[in-house]
Each structure stands twice: as structure tokens, then as C-alpha cells.
Amino acid sequence: MIVGEVVGNIWATRKEEGLTGLKFLVVQPDSSFSSFSPSTFVAVDRIGAGVGDKVMVTNGSSASRIDNVQLPIDSLIIGIVDSVEVERGEGNG
Amino acid sequence: MIVGEVVGNIWATRKEEGLTGLKFLVVQPDSSFSSFSPSTFVAVDRIGAGVGDKVMVTNGSSASRIDNVQLPIDSLIIGIVDSVEVERGEGNG
Amino acid sequence: MIVGEVVGNIWATRKEEGLTGLKFLVVQPDSSFSSFSPSTFVAVDRIGAGVGDKVMVTNGSSASRIDNVQLPIDSLIIGIVDSVEVERGEGNG
Amino acid sequence: MIVGEVVGNIWATRKEEGLTGLKFLVVQPDSSFSSFSPSTFVAVDRIGAGVGDKVMVTNGSSASRIDNVQLPIDSLIIGIVDSVEVERGEGNG
Amino acid sequence: MIVGEVVGNIWATRKEEGLTGLKFLVVQPDSSFSSFSPSTFVAVDRIGAGVGDKVMVTNGSSASRIDNVQLPIDSLIIGIVDSVEVERGEGNG
């Protein structure tokens, strides 16, 4: 997963079936997590994230199954980040 | 998902089974959304997008299930964008 | 999907089960479509493509289901391109 | 798979269903294995990895099936590395 | 698929369930096939590849189904290359 910040919203009235009612947010990857998507991308949100939130995002077809239905989406916000703790450690944590 | 503009069409008479009748469009990713595909790529369209339209595109195997049939495609236009609103916000939207 | 040119063949006698009899071609992505694979890669072909042909290629696990059997392949030639028309248009096509 | 080092932890109280109780670690890819993710990313851990451990990580939807349940995650720590032996050899090992 | 050379082995005693007994090899992508993974990565081998062998590798979840069991792996050696023939041709092969 990558970490990013919600920076906006995107609307599309004409959509593929099954996508009506879903919320599409624009996410800017956190610079240290920018491996998969250095620039902004669109993710579906179902847990109430909003602009300014730091979020954890799953990409690829892992993101496509919602309530046991396969949807044509490839990016899903899976968590609103409380905190990230990055350190160097010796041996098993 | 990424956002891009439809810039053309592509035709292929000889195709894998199950792909006849599908519309293949050439999409140029929007520069701020160019993470996954900095250069043009081909996406299937079923919602009536055309050249000049700003579209939302799902990539990868999330794009391969159409009307419950698994097809050998890896890119599907899922929305014609009405508007994108990008801002910086404080805390939860 | 991306567009590329078939530039060669590759042979491997010792292979994973289920892959015997499949044709493996070397594909060079078209420079304007080089997003997913800037350099050459190997794709399975079942529609009679050959060296010099311009082809449309599906990558990832969308490519892995052939005749309803899941195979360990991640790239499949899905079309032999007749023509590509790239233009700029205003509004819906 | 890629190899990396666990460099931290990440917490998110508000999460997608089914993710409660999972441990999310921050992984820095090993420089020689940085192909898929040159910068840090988040992976789920179920085998007791901790900060400082060298780990093997599976990315993409291969990582999304845990105890036969499909979860919206795209990165899973699958091994704690004992040793890596890289050499040049002639012919079949 | 990409082509690469087996350059080493990697061992991990503590692993996710279902991975015991699998052989993990370190693969260096062939420079002309380096699109998907410019640097080394780890692939599972079941067909007897060894250090120095030129191999064909499937990446992503196409690699995750072995003997009809879904495993958390994203890279599988699918062939030991006999020969690669890259040329420019006119029209259909």
C-alpha cells in the first residue's frame, strides 16, 4: 500500500454500471511513499476520508472487490492514518 | 484510477475471441495524473467517450470483467469527467 | 493496453505445465505507447501475429485466462492493428 | 517478490472492513531490489517481522488473499530473510 | 513476460503458510527486457532453473496460482530459454 494525502474530489456523471454512488477522491502520494504513483491518482473512498486527510491506499485489482462485488476500480482508500513511525532497528522488532 | 484525455481511435480486425464489437480508444494521461502511464495507452470504452473527452480510466485486471465475463483487456474507461476540484484542506473533509 | 511491434521469437523447451504449444513473441513497445514497458517484453500470441506486425497487447493477470484456463502468463497479444488515428477533438466524439 | 527492510509501523484506526487486527509495517526496498518500489511502501505482516528485519514482500493482488478471504491489501510480507547468495554461474545450477 | 538471468538464491525459514518447500531464486532482468523490473527481484522456480540460466519470468498475480492453489507470490519462472531471435521483418511473419 502507499500513503498519500487527499487533495481533491472528482465527479463523473456518465460512468460504468455499478459505480453510481461511489465517492472518488484525488490523492497525492506522500513523497517518501511515491514509488507506485509519483503523481496524483484517483481512489474510491468508503470510510469518510476528506481533503487534507493522510490516507493508506491499496492499488490494483486488490481494490476492486467491494461488498463481495467485483467493480472496475483499481484504487481504494483503506485507512485514515493516525500515525507513521519510521526508525532504524537491530534485529527482530 | 488515472485521468486522461481521449486523443484517438485504434482498429484491429484480427483480435482475440470475445473482443469483437468493443471500442478501443487511445488515451493520453493528464500530466498531473501521469503516474501509471506517462505516455499514451489503449482503453476499452463502453460509455460513449470520444476524442477530446476527459475520462477516468481503470487499469490492470480490475478492468477485465465486463458483464460478468472475464476478457483479456487491462484498461477500461469508467467515467467521463464532469469536474476535478483539487485543493489543500486542513483535517477531515 | 499498449501498442508495439513484434520483433522476434523466443523458445524455451523446459517450461511450466500448461504452456506447451503456446507461441512466445518478443515485442518492442511503440515509443508513444511505451508507458508500461519501455523496453522489450515477451507476449503469448494465438492470433497469428509475426515479426513486423503492429500489435495491441494486454499485460498483467488480464492476460492469464485462455480458453477459461488460468495460465502463468502476464502478456497476451490481443489484436493485430489495422490503423491508429490520433487527433485532438473538441467535446464528446 | 522484492526484498526490503522493515523501517517502521503505521496505524490507522478508521479502516475498511476486514482489516482490523492486521499489522501494517513500513518497508524500505533493498537498493538492489528496488525495481518495483524504489521508495517506502506499506505491507501487512502476519509472520512476526519487526523493525530492522530483512523481509521478502509480495506485491499486487497476489497479496490480497489471506486465510482464503479476499482483502483490499496489495502488499504482504511473506518471509523473513535468512540469507541471500548472489553469484554468477555457468549453465544450469 | 520478461527475460532475465538467475544470479542467486534466497532463503527464509519463517514464511507465510503454503510457501514451505518452494525454491526462491534471485533474477537479474536482461537489459533489453528490463521494462518491468530494472533491478533484481525474487522469483519462485519449479522447473529446475539454476544460477546462470536465462529464464522467462511471469510477474504479478498471474504467477500466484500453482497446482490450482492461490499462493502469495508475484513472480514465477515459467521457462528456461533455449534461444531468442530478435529481427526486423516486413508484414505478417
Side-chain angles (χ1 to χ4, degrees):
Chain A
M1 285 63 73
I2 67 164
V3 173
E5 181 183 335
V6 177
V7 294
N9 290 266
I10 183 167
W11 291 273
T13 317
R14 211 183 324 172
K15 288 196 287 285
E16 268 281 335
E17 281 154 38
L19 300 183
T20 308
L22 286 180
K23 195 169 103 182
F24 294 88
L25 297 180
V26 181
V27 178
Q28 170 74 47
D30 185 296
S31 56
S32 63
F33 286 89
S34 66
S35 53
F36 287 119
S37 39
S39 34
T40 55
F41 59 93
V42 178
V44 164
D45 166 65
R46 306 191 323 150
I47 57 175
V51 169
D53 280 339
K54 193 167 197 161
V55 291
M56 214 165 28
V57 184
T58 283
N59 285 306
S61 63
S62 303
S64 65
R65 183 179 287 272
I66 290 189
D67 300 338
N68 259 322
V69 175
Q70 196 89 22
L71 292 177
I73 61 170
D74 62 20
S75 195
L76 178 70
I77 291 174
I78 63 161
I80 299 177
V81 177
D82 301 331
S83 62
V84 185
E85 193 193 77
V86 176
E87 44 169 304
R88 283 276 162 275
E90 293 75 35
N92 196 322
Chain B
M1 285 65 72
I2 69 164
V3 173
E5 182 183 336
V6 176
V7 294
N9 291 267
I10 183 166
W11 291 273
T13 317
R14 210 182 325 170
K15 290 197 286 285
E16 267 281 334
E17 280 154 40
L19 300 182
T20 307
L22 286 179
K23 195 168 104 185
F24 294 89
L25 297 180
V26 181
V27 178
Q28 170 74 46
D30 186 297
S31 57
S32 62
F33 286 89
S34 65
S35 52
F36 287 118
S37 39
S39 36
T40 54
F41 59 93
V42 178
V44 164
D45 167 64
R46 306 191 322 148
I47 58 174
V51 169
D53 279 339
K54 192 168 197 157
V55 291
M56 213 165 27
V57 184
T58 283
N59 285 306
S61 64
S62 302
S64 65
R65 184 179 286 271
I66 289 189
D67 299 338
N68 258 322
V69 175
Q70 196 90 20
L71 291 177
I73 62 170
D74 62 19
S75 195
L76 178 70
I77 291 174
I78 63 161
I80 298 177
V81 177
D82 302 330
S83 63
V84 186
E85 194 192 78
V86 176
E87 43 170 304
R88 284 274 164 276
E90 295 73 35
N92 194 321
Chain C
M1 286 65 70
I2 68 163
V3 173
E5 182 183 337
V6 178
V7 294
N9 291 267
I10 183 167
W11 291 273
T13 316
R14 213 183 323 172
K15 290 196 288 285
E16 268 282 335
E17 280 155 41
L19 300 183
T20 308
L22 286 179
K23 195 169 103 184
F24 293 89
L25 298 180
V26 182
V27 177
Q28 170 74 47
D30 184 298
S31 56
S32 64
F33 286 90
S34 65
S35 52
F36 288 118
S37 38
S39 36
T40 54
F41 58 93
V42 178
V44 164
D45 166 65
R46 306 191 321 148
I47 58 174
V51 169
D53 280 339
K54 192 167 195 157
V55 291
M56 215 166 26
V57 184
T58 283
N59 286 305
S61 62
S62 304
S64 64
R65 185 179 285 272
I66 289 189
D67 299 338
N68 258 322
V69 175
Q70 195 90 20
L71 292 177
I73 61 170
D74 63 18
S75 194
L76 178 70
I77 290 173
I78 64 160
I80 299 177
V81 177
D82 302 331
S83 62
V84 185
E85 194 192 77
V86 176
E87 44 169 305
R88 285 273 162 275
E90 295 74 34
N92 195 323
Chain D
M1 285 65 70
I2 68 164
V3 173
E5 181 183 335
V6 177
V7 294
N9 291 267
I10 182 167
W11 291 274
T13 317
R14 213 184 321 172
K15 290 196 287 285
E16 268 282 334
E17 281 154 39
L19 300 183
T20 309
L22 287 180
K23 194 169 102 183
F24 294 88
L25 297 180
V26 181
V27 178
Q28 170 74 47
D30 184 299
S31 57
S32 63
F33 286 90
S34 66
S35 53
F36 287 120
S37 40
S39 36
T40 56
F41 58 93
V42 178
V44 165
D45 166 66
R46 307 191 321 150
I47 57 174
V51 170
D53 280 339
K54 192 166 198 163
V55 290
M56 216 168 22
V57 184
T58 284
N59 285 305
S61 62
S62 304
S64 64
R65 182 178 287 271
I66 290 189
D67 299 338
N68 258 321
V69 175
Q70 196 89 22
L71 292 176
I73 61 171
D74 62 19
S75 195
L76 177 70
I77 291 173
I78 63 161
I80 299 178
V81 177
D82 302 330
S83 63
V84 185
E85 193 193 77
V86 175
E87 44 168 304
R88 283 274 162 277
E90 295 74 34
N92 197 323
Chain E
M1 287 64 69
I2 68 163
V3 173
E5 182 183 338
V6 177
V7 295
N9 292 267
I10 182 167
W11 291 273
T13 316
R14 214 186 318 173
K15 290 196 288 285
E16 269 281 334
E17 281 154 41
L19 301 183
T20 308
L22 287 179
K23 194 169 104 183
F24 293 88
L25 297 181
V26 181
V27 178
Q28 170 74 48
D30 184 299
S31 57
S32 63
F33 286 90
S34 65
S35 53
F36 288 119
S37 39
S39 35
T40 54
F41 58 92
V42 177
V44 164
D45 166 66
R46 307 192 320 150
I47 57 174
V51 169
D53 280 339
K54 192 167 198 161
V55 290
M56 215 166 24
V57 184
T58 284
N59 285 305
S61 63
S62 304
S64 64
R65 184 180 287 270
I66 290 188
D67 299 338
N68 259 321
V69 175
Q70 196 89 22
L71 292 177
I73 61 171
D74 62 19
S75 195
L76 178 71
I77 290 173
I78 64 160
I80 299 177
V81 176
D82 302 331
S83 62
V84 185
E85 192 193 79
V86 175
E87 46 169 302
R88 284 275 162 274
E90 295 74 34
N92 197 323

